[in-house]
Amino acid sequence: MSENKNPDTCDHNCDGCEANCASRTTGNPFKIEPKDKTVIRHMVGVVSGKGGVGKSLVTSLLACEMNRRGYHTAVLDGDITGPSQGKSFGVHESLMGDGTYAYPATTKTGIQVVSTNMLLDSDDTPVIWRAAMVTNLLKQFYTEVLWTDVDFMFVDMPPGTGDVPLTAFQSYPLDGIIIVTTPQELVEMVVEKAVNMAEKMNIPILGLVENMAYVECPDCGRKIRVFGEPHLDDLMQKHSLKLLAEIPLRQEIVKAADKGTIEDVEVKEIGPAADEVEKLNA
């Protein structure tokens, strides 16, 4: 937190402000509340320091795996300007409401999903919004949607460390986050920014998931590390983190996400990360 604002210049608008004012000495001033009938027992954010590393894929795989284990799961697509969960789960309907509640879509296996694409005329319609509109929708997906009997909600978090992810960290009651990375050394540098942000916000880090970790040889099964060996040892040691899973580049996973049939693909490699999430229910 930064120092107190000058009381002579403070506009008393706390949204997006990091000043450590006296009015924030008790509780969480950014906390938002869901609808009175909403039930969400655990909320896990899936985070990346930058886009394009597979954060959305890991989110959907975790939701599917926990659903297979018998838990009621939900996906809140918090990547407002780059939504992909609707496509991955084959959700094409619009977000419906009755004036009191908005209702998530329910996939064929019972996963509840809300994504920005459910508000757009078509999947390729760009979301050209100012940050204030993006952060407001991010909050409304939690406060205005009636989430029913959810054991585990997975939030596909906005990438980066700016205003929008800051809003999610401050407003959502996150039990922990999983940080997604890829083997490139450049990505590791960006991941550490996300790690540092989570630590500053006092959000527990459940561990790391490395996506696009390797390709399997179709003949001998050997792991071919296309992007080189991982560079996570120093980062994990420095921050006492665990590598929970290595997700391979596998054509069937990509095709399922593209076709909206991600629920049909069982990716055993996500299992240890799901184990870590399941501990929240102990």
Side-chain angles (χ1 to χ4, degrees), residues 46-107:
V46 183
V47 175
S48 65
K50 65 186 296 296
V53 300
K55 166 181 55 66
S56 298
L57 174 64
V58 171
T59 302
S60 59
L61 293 180
L62 282 168
C64 291
E65 176 60 24
M66 296 305 289
N67 191 55
R68 289 189 190 95
R69 297 185 183 193
Y71 295 101
H72 296 157
T73 61
V75 173
L76 189 160
D77 194 347
D79 195 347
I80 303 298
T81 59
S84 59
Q85 295 299 337
K87 182 175 179 62
S88 294
F89 283 97
V91 172
H92 303 294
E93 60 260 43
S94 298
L95 183 65
M96 304 301 294
D98 58 11
T100 302
Y101 303 108
Y103 297 94
T106 302
T107 70

Side-chain angles (χ1 to χ4, degrees), residues 178-196:
I178 288 176
I179 299 179
V180 182
T181 181
T182 56
Q184 298 97 319
E185 192 169 354
L186 175 62
V187 173
E188 181 196 350
M189 177 192 69
V190 180
V191 165
E192 187 159 17
K193 295 179 185 292
V195 171
N196 288 330

Side-chain angles (χ1 to χ4, degrees), residues 52 99 113 118 124 164 185 192 194 200 207 223 240:
V113 178
M118 298 169 67
D124 60 358
V164 181
E185 192 169 354
E192 187 159 17
K200 288 180 182 295
K223 295 180 179 180
S240 300

